[in-house]
Amino acid sequence: MSELTTHLDLPVGVDALAAARQVTKAALTAWGLGDPQWVDDAVMIADELVANAVRHGGGCLRLQIRATDGRVTIAAVDGSAVVPRRREPDGDGGRGLVP
């Protein structure tokens, strides 16, 4: 399988979430990857990554999706120079970097 990639510069704010869900579903479906349940799970992951970038990041947002050798990588990139750090989980989150 050759590498398939797509990326999207997202609008800042909550509109980024809908755009990320739409692009993730469209790309994975067009690439013929996974069954509908798998695609729905990937869409949920993209939504969570972008929500975290909106909430904790800053600046421009970009969604990147890559498929290579049967693996799919979904990444949300923000313009913040602050490196993510682990924190103690609480009722408001903090579980994202826990192994």
Side-chain angles (χ1 to χ4, degrees), residues 6-30:
T6 191
H7 67 271
L8 175 69
D9 292 327
L10 298 168
V12 177
V14 294
D15 291 338
L17 302 174
R21 289 189 302 268
Q22 182 178 15
V23 166
T24 301
K25 184 172 186 170
L28 296 177
T29 300

Side-chain angles (χ1 to χ4, degrees), residues 7-77:
H7 67 271
L8 175 69
D9 292 327
L10 298 168
V12 177
V14 294
D15 291 338
L17 302 174
R21 289 189 302 268
Q22 182 178 15
V23 166
T24 301
K25 184 172 186 170
L28 296 177
T29 300
W31 295 342
L33 298 175
D35 62 35
Q37 181 59 50
W38 185 89
V39 170
D40 287 346
D41 291 346
V43 167
M44 183 174 47
I45 290 166
D47 183 83
E48 183 67 21
L49 292 171
V50 171
N52 285 341
V54 168
R55 182 175 178 197
H56 300 292
C60 299
L61 298 172
R62 173 175 273 201
L63 178 69
Q64 300 171 339
I65 306 168
R66 181 177 63 218
T68 306
D69 298 326
R71 293 180 176 226
V72 173
T73 303
I74 301 171
V77 180

